[in-house]
Amino acid sequence: MLNADLHCHSTVSDGMLPPEALAARAKTNGVELWALTDHDEVGGLVAARHAAHAEGLSFVPGVEISITWAGHTVHIVGLQIDPFCPALVEGLAQTRSGRTRRAQEMADALAQAGVAGAYEGALQYVGNPELISRTHFARYMVEAGICPSVNAVFESYLSDGKPGYVPHRWATLEDAIEWIHAAGGQAVIAHPGRYKMTALQHDSLFDRFKELGGEGVEVTTGSHTPAQYETYAGLARRYGLLASRGSDFHGPSESRVDLGKLPPLPDSVTPIWRGW
């Protein structure tokens, strides 16, 4: 099967490598079809396309949009998008606008928990201040010796119910799919096994996604277990969705799976790239 990796992040959002380095790493790791899907931002896609072509890689322009669904933050990936589509560009700008306020509130909450200077510290790891995120705070806190790893920061400080967590109201599912379709792209539910939803919320998400014309679901992804590959292959068949594959790579020291190193999609699903 084609070695496609359709989910990763560069320094334009919260990744550790610039688009050019990601393209080179993807090529070295045997990727044949590669997408850059930065969070709520398409600013790295031109550089990524040029780098991919220089490496002899087939490139897919993408984005990962943060939405709020039933009180949970969910991510919707858009693939084969036009990064210059006005509806998409304006929608993403609206989504990014709340990040600075949220980051300042997180820093205030962390200060009350004994972590001083977190906002300024996080900014040292941010390529685009509009896209400051919990990951940037976590990197600062690891460097400052507060926790031994990014995952440990999330577990102790930055997840729901912990002292530095601040919820944010993102775009809606309807918004994300509308923007992706306006840009000529296909909408994909990213890493569905990560969301801590009730069974009813989970099924409702898939029901509504399908009603709105969503096309795909990530079946094989960095945060899924082998059992979840089969679970979401079954859901892809049940809902008539195409299957996507992506590592969700952020950096060599932070990601569970390297670019291009996931197992193939199960034979029972139709890959989203078929027909491109």
Side-chain angles (χ1 to χ4, degrees):
M1 181 177 284
L2 184 74
N3 188 351
D5 197 316
L6 303 178
H7 187 163
C8 72
H9 300 276
S10 77
T11 49
V12 175
S13 65
D14 61 345
M16 299 177 73
L17 301 177
E20 296 83 356
L22 285 172
R25 191 179 189 93
K27 180 67 174 180
T28 298
N29 288 355
V31 175
E32 299 165 275
L33 180 66
W34 172 58
L36 177 64
T37 56
D38 278 317
H39 287 287
D40 306 315
E41 177 60 86
V42 292
L45 293 181
V46 170
R49 182 184 292 279
H50 287 318
H53 287 176
E55 295 285 353
L57 272 173
S58 294
F59 180 68
V60 178
V63 68
E64 186 174 18
I65 302 176
S66 306
I67 71 161
T68 299
W69 173 265
H72 298 271
T73 298
V74 171
H75 294 155
I76 304 297
V77 165
L79 298 173
Q80 293 287 30
I81 58 166
D82 171 6
F84 303 106
C85 170
L88 176 65
V89 171
E90 293 165 12
L92 295 178
Q94 293 171 14
T95 299
R96 293 194 303 270
S97 65
R99 284 183 178 265
T100 299
R101 175 193 55 78
R102 182 196 189 206
Q104 290 168 341
E105 292 181 8
M106 288 168 56
D108 291 342
L110 287 168
Q112 293 179 17
V115 181
Y119 183 76
E120 293 76 14
L123 283 176
Q124 300 173 42
Y125 298 87
V126 177
N128 180 353
E130 285 189 339
L131 288 168
I132 189 169
S133 71
R134 290 184 297 166
T135 301
H136 299 119
F137 280 86
R139 289 175 185 157
Y140 162 70
M141 291 169 70
V142 171
E143 183 67 23
I146 295 165
C147 289
S149 68
V150 167
N151 285 340
V153 176
F154 273 82
E155 290 171 3
S156 298
Y157 289 93
L158 298 180
S159 58
D160 193 3
K162 302 302 180 181
Y165 179 76
V166 175
H168 182 72
R169 181 82 186 168
W170 303 106
T172 66
L173 179 63
E174 291 79 2
D175 290 334
I177 294 177
E178 181 180 336
W179 300 338
I180 291 166
H181 286 171
Q186 293 177 295
V188 177
I189 299 176
H191 41 61
R194 275 180 41 183
Y195 308 128
K196 301 186 188 313
M197 297 180 178
T198 66
L200 178 61
Q201 290 170 336
H202 180 276
D203 289 350
S204 295
L205 170 63
F206 274 80
D207 289 342
R208 185 61 177 151
F209 180 79
K210 183 65 176 179
E211 287 173 5
L212 292 168
E215 288 89 356
V217 58
E218 284 186 349
V219 170
T220 307
T221 185
S223 55
H224 281 182
T225 65
Q228 287 174 319
Y229 303 157
E230 296 302 325
T231 295
Y232 288 102
L235 277 172
R237 296 193 301 272
R238 171 182 162 191
Y239 283 93
L241 296 172
L242 300 170
S244 193
R245 175 182 188 263
S247 57
D248 195 11
F249 181 79
H250 284 73
S253 63
E254 290 185 5
S255 299
R256 298 181 186 181
V257 178
D258 206 343
L259 278 166
K261 297 302 184 180
L262 284 166
L265 288 171
D267 292 336
S268 60
V269 296
T270 302
I272 195 166
W273 55 85
R274 188 169 294 173
W276 286 355

